[in-house]
Amino acid sequence: MAEGLGKRYGELWALREVDLDVPPGSVLGLLGHNGAGKTTAIRILTTLALPSAGRASVAGLDVVAEAARVRERIGLAGQYATVDGLLSARVNLEMVGRLYHLPRAVARARARELLERLGLLEKADILVRTFSGGMRRRLDLAASLMGEPPVLFLDEPTTGLDPQGRNDLWTLLRELVDGGTTLVLTTQYLEEADRLADNIVVLDRGRIVAAGPPEELKARVGGERIEVTLASEEGLTSAAEALSAFADGQSVMASEELRVTVPARAGTRLVEVVRALDAAGVDALDVHRREATLDDVFLAVTGSHGSPETPATEALAR
């Protein structure tokens, strides 16, 4: 799908040496901090930007030489809803259907189906300018599905959705993929990537720093974590120092969540951890052991911009 893909703005490379391979009927999740290159990659793959280096194809079509044909084969929902506020939800979708050259009756039926599926049927004939942000987001997603495209690009699709709306969308997307649709999505919800993606690519400063199936990536950063939640921020440093005796790697402190997490050394017993925290005078509200998550993967490869050649980064990039 992409070989050596790069995009340069002046002297700045927003994307560099990116290789992607997305089998038909699978989901690729692109993860990364804001500015990591996710949206740039989506823009190139959807023909909205020209690459400065490398090549890419979508549905077997070159995104530069065959851009018009690529656009006929894809659906796209960008970061911000682009539906027309002066039209109703139904008319918005029917108009998109006509742009896809669907017969009028087919466009009307497809619009109704998607409005019902995304919980908008009761608002179908109301002007979109009265919609909440989450409703506009759902309508924008429906518009991207009007042509039943074989390849679907979603740039942070669940931003602004409530938990129920997010779960409903996940179910819809999984059904589409089960039916043969290929999905490429960017997201900052790591639970979303873990639940939907068959393969994950983590971008940092425009380069790939980790790639593979979610379970494989989690296995590479190690198994269990010890997680301690504190009563106050003042105890974070003391907790990290107390946990170092049981850590098989660097600790991660989350100040806002009042939490310290460390990779657990083999054979560590929680009772020993609790005793060490108590001896250090740490007021711990909760101490527990858990398996590694995509959050741990993400922090391992993007949490520090000091040296990209850490052992964790090297292992995850393989």
Side-chain angles (χ1 to χ4, degrees):
M1 189 175 187
E3 297 177 358
L5 201 61
K7 180 64 177 178
R8 183 174 63 187
Y9 296 97
E11 297 300 315
L12 174 66
W13 284 91
L15 202 69
R16 196 160 193 178
E17 299 176 359
V18 169
D19 297 330
L20 300 173
D21 183 17
V22 189
S26 68
V27 182
L28 173 67
L30 292 177
L31 306 182
H33 291 294
N34 289 333
K38 306 185 302 296
T39 297
T40 300
I42 293 290
R43 286 180 58 80
I44 293 173
L45 295 173
T46 56
T47 77
L48 296 176
L50 293 173
S52 304
R55 60 178 298 276
S57 63
V58 174
L61 303 169
D62 188 278
V63 298
V64 176
E66 302 171 284
R69 294 182 63 196
V70 168
R71 288 192 285 271
E72 293 175 354
R73 305 281 291 168
I74 65 173
L76 168 65
Q79 284 187 338
Y80 306 102
T82 56
V83 289
D84 193 328
L86 298 178
L87 301 176
S88 70
R90 191 189 306 275
V91 172
N92 261 285
L93 296 188
E94 291 180 3
M95 178 181 67
V96 172
R98 298 295 287 157
L99 291 173
Y100 271 109
H101 306 295
L102 298 179
R104 191 177 303 277
V106 174
R108 188 178 301 118
R110 178 68 172 159
R112 179 182 173 82
E113 174 192 347
L114 289 170
L115 288 167
E116 184 173 13
R117 188 59 191 271
L118 290 169
L120 294 172
L121 191 57
E122 291 184 359
K123 307 289 185 180
D125 298 308
I126 297 176
L127 292 185
V128 171
R129 69 183 181 187
T130 67
F131 280 18
S132 67
M135 292 169 63
R136 290 173 68 94
R137 189 64 177 150
R138 280 183 279 161
L139 182 61
D140 197 47
L141 291 167
S144 73
L145 297 170
M146 275 298 295
E148 299 186 83
V151 183
L152 183 61
F153 293 90
L154 303 179
D155 198 0
E156 300 189 15
T158 56
T159 299
L161 296 185
D162 58 35
Q164 184 59 55
R166 187 174 299 133
N167 281 322
D168 291 345
L169 178 61
W170 289 348
T171 300
L172 173 60
L173 293 178
R174 180 44 65 185
E175 289 176 0
L176 289 170
V177 173
D178 290 343
T181 301
T182 303
L183 174 61
V184 178
L185 80 153
T186 74
T187 181
Q188 295 196 44
Y189 295 110
L190 298 185
E191 179 191 359
E192 183 166 80
D194 203 359
R195 179 164 170 175
L196 290 177
D198 299 300
N199 284 286
I200 286 174
V201 167
V202 184
L203 293 171
D204 191 32
R205 295 182 174 182
R207 294 180 182 269
I208 294 177
V209 293
E215 292 305 317
E216 182 179 311
L217 291 179
K218 288 184 284 187
R220 289 186 210 168
V221 299
E224 294 184 324
R225 265 42 182 179
I226 296 172
E227 194 166 84
V228 178
T229 303
L230 307 177
S232 66
E233 187 175 351
E234 289 71 24
L236 285 171
T237 300
S238 297
E241 291 174 353
L243 289 172
S244 63
F246 311 99
D248 191 23
Q250 190 173 4
S251 64
V252 175
M253 289 191 291
S255 299
E256 291 185 4
E257 293 83 4
L258 302 178
R259 190 172 61 233
V260 180
T261 306
V262 297
R265 182 172 297 164
T268 296
R269 299 170 60 202
L270 280 184
V271 64
E272 296 172 346
V273 174
V274 172
R275 287 170 180 162
L277 291 169
D278 186 56
V282 175
D283 186 6
L285 299 179
D286 181 68
V287 181
H288 69 275
R289 190 195 309 265
R290 63 167 175 79
E291 295 296 321
T293 66
L294 279 185
D295 294 72
D296 300 311
V297 173
F298 190 80
L299 289 170
V301 296
T302 68
S304 171
H305 290 295
S307 170
E309 300 301 328
T310 63
T313 302
E314 291 175 351
L316 283 161
R318 286 198 291 269

